[in-house]
Amino acid sequence: GKAYSEKLLSKQVSRGRVTQDKAAAILDRITATDSFDDAKGADLMIEAVFEDVELKRAVYADLEPRLSDDALLASNTSTLPITTLAEGVTRPEDFIGMHFFSPVDKMQLLEIVVGKETSDEALAKAIDVALQIKKLPIVVNDSRGFFTSRVIGTVVAEAASLIGEGVPANSVEQAALQAGYPVGPLALTDEVSLTLGLKIRKEAEAAAAAEGIEFHAHPGYAVIETLVTEHQRGGRAAGAGFYDYVEGKKQGLWAGLKDAFGGDNLEIPFQDLQERMLFIEVIESIKCLDEAVLRSVPDANLGSIFGIGFPAWSGGVLQYVDGYEGGPAGFVGRARELAERYGERFTPPASVVAMAEAGGVYR
């Protein structure tokens, strides 16, 4: 971690943005350690270990007793419910989610996640921290995957589904890029890690089973699982995903995709490729609003643009509905067309149907 910071600062020094003395002073404030004792008396903890509940709880058990009595306890988890993680600390009212986005030095958004027992005081502290480190905070309520990870997971799965349907991989990427996404969804999946995505999906499936909730499997999941388990392609970090990599540098789409899934399906209209990815994210966002995971329309729009790369021209996931040709009524009609062609997952939620019928808008 400190070496990464040193690399960033060296780049800024070489470009004349900071002096060598200032860079050295910043590095001197970073203590890299393998001892929990070095956190004694700290007033803020942001845990960022792997996405495993028991591992995180083990860290809390070692670290919390060493912190100040009123320290803010935060987790950088991207998917695990904050209320569940808070069961591993003695002060759940001081526990909160602070979900940063990668690369943290470039991504402006900070998704603050309020658990069932999180206090208003803890939320205020988290917002203060966000502003002090010049991040743009949005506040959401607790849910597996929260808002951003839930929504970005749908576009990743939809892109994988298109591959499974035999659509050429370069067409999938181009459809997204020409729709205004900053990066193709297959490249994004590689960055996030296919292996991690598969692990998160299996954990979500197990949690749903434990709670007696029906788990709706997306057809794209099978493509991801095939790549990971049968072809050992886990993503960029593994050196192989949808793309090939040499020393971490992208070399091009994996030629084996065509043999594994086909690649001659040119029957799906280009607009459908684009809108399948756009609509699936919007529909999941509407569900987040309906379930009160999202607290406001602005949080949805800001979070989708600054956190997960929804096309900026749209104004955000919910603004996209208002701006769609024909407004919400046009969106509902098009969603029903996509549902008829490609599956029930595109069925517009009842809330947007009602809003459209009433002539309402999100903004």
Side-chain angles (χ1 to χ4, degrees):
K2 188 167 183 176
Y4 182 78
S5 298
E6 186 172 12
K7 180 181 176 181
L8 293 177
L9 288 165
S10 294
K11 187 180 293 185
Q12 291 186 41
V13 169
S14 69
R15 294 176 178 176
R17 294 178 179 174
V18 299
T19 65
Q20 185 63 56
D21 287 347
K22 185 175 181 180
I26 292 171
L27 285 173
D28 284 344
R29 294 201 296 271
I30 300 174
T31 300
T33 180
D34 61 358
S35 172
F36 286 110
D37 288 335
D38 285 327
K40 187 175 181 180
D43 58 9
L44 170 64
M45 168 198 81
I46 304 177
E47 161 275 313
V49 298
F50 296 117
E51 293 287 89
D52 182 280
V53 172
E54 294 309 316
L55 173 61
K56 289 178 183 291
R57 286 179 177 173
V59 170
Y60 306 152
D62 282 326
L63 193 56
E64 185 186 359
R66 294 170 165 86
L67 304 175
S68 66
D69 292 340
D70 62 348
L72 181 64
L73 311 173
S75 175
N76 179 48
T77 180
S78 59
T79 61
L80 299 175
I82 294 303
T83 302
T84 299
L85 294 179
E87 294 172 1
V89 301
T90 62
R91 294 183 286 114
E93 67 276 9
D94 291 329
F95 194 88
I96 200 164
M98 295 182 69
H99 176 207
F100 291 79
F101 295 79
S102 182
V104 176
D105 52 290
K106 294 180 180 178
M107 297 295 283
Q108 188 178 357
L109 192 75
L110 176 59
E111 183 178 33
I112 298 175
V113 188
V114 176
K116 185 177 180 180
E117 296 189 53
T118 303
S119 68
D120 289 343
E121 182 180 0
L123 173 58
K125 286 182 179 180
I127 292 174
D128 282 346
V129 171
L131 297 178
Q132 285 182 45
I133 61 176
K134 297 180 172 61
K135 294 295 184 184
L136 173 65
I138 63 169
V139 180
V140 302
N141 291 325
D142 199 16
S143 168
R144 182 171 291 272
F146 321 131
F147 164 56
T148 55
S149 293
R150 268 182 66 171
V151 172
I152 202 170
T154 62
V155 74
V156 163
E158 198 61 35
S161 180
L162 289 168
I163 296 298
E165 293 168 36
V167 176
N170 59 348
S171 294
V172 175
E173 296 289 75
Q174 278 301 309
L177 293 171
Q178 291 185 39
Y181 286 94
V183 65
L186 305 181
L188 174 65
T189 306
D190 279 1
E191 290 290 335
V192 173
S193 166
L194 280 74
T195 306
L196 176 60
L198 181 60
K199 180 177 183 294
I200 290 170
R201 191 261 292 176
K202 288 185 177 296
E203 287 180 351
E205 192 171 0
E211 295 171 17
I213 300 171
E214 183 180 1
F215 182 80
H216 298 283
H218 192 288
Y221 295 161
V223 173
I224 300 293
E225 187 158 5
T226 296
L227 284 170
V228 173
T229 60
E230 295 185 19
H231 299 283
Q232 292 73 55
R233 303 188 71 85
R236 181 178 178 180
F242 284 104
Y243 285 81
D244 287 320
Y245 299 87
V246 174
E247 296 181 354
K249 294 183 179 180
K250 189 164 58 178
Q251 302 299 301
L253 285 157
W254 178 45
L257 286 172
K258 188 170 183 178
D259 290 335
F261 305 105
D264 300 316
N265 182 0
L266 304 178
E267 296 180 4
I268 299 178
F270 195 70
Q271 183 180 353
D272 285 14
L273 299 182
Q274 294 178 311
E275 292 196 338
R276 280 177 62 171
M277 290 183 273
L278 292 164
F279 270 60
I280 202 69
E281 289 200 282
V282 172
I283 288 169
E284 191 67 22
S285 299
I286 294 170
K287 291 177 181 178
C288 286
L289 189 65
D290 291 345
E291 297 167 19
V293 173
L294 279 166
R295 291 185 165 200
S296 73
V297 170
D299 279 346
N301 290 329
L302 289 169
S304 64
I305 292 175
F306 290 100
I308 57 177
F310 196 77
W313 62 261
S314 69
V317 280
L318 298 182
Q319 184 67 33
Y320 178 84
V321 177
D322 293 347
Y324 195 78
E325 184 177 359
F331 176 86
V332 167
R334 178 60 169 153
R336 286 170 171 162
E337 286 181 5
L338 294 174
E340 185 175 346
R341 293 180 189 177
Y342 305 111
E344 291 184 4
R345 62 188 179 277
F346 292 102
T347 300
S351 63
V352 70
V353 173
M355 186 179 74
E357 291 174 348
V361 291
Y362 281 112
R363 61 178 178 274

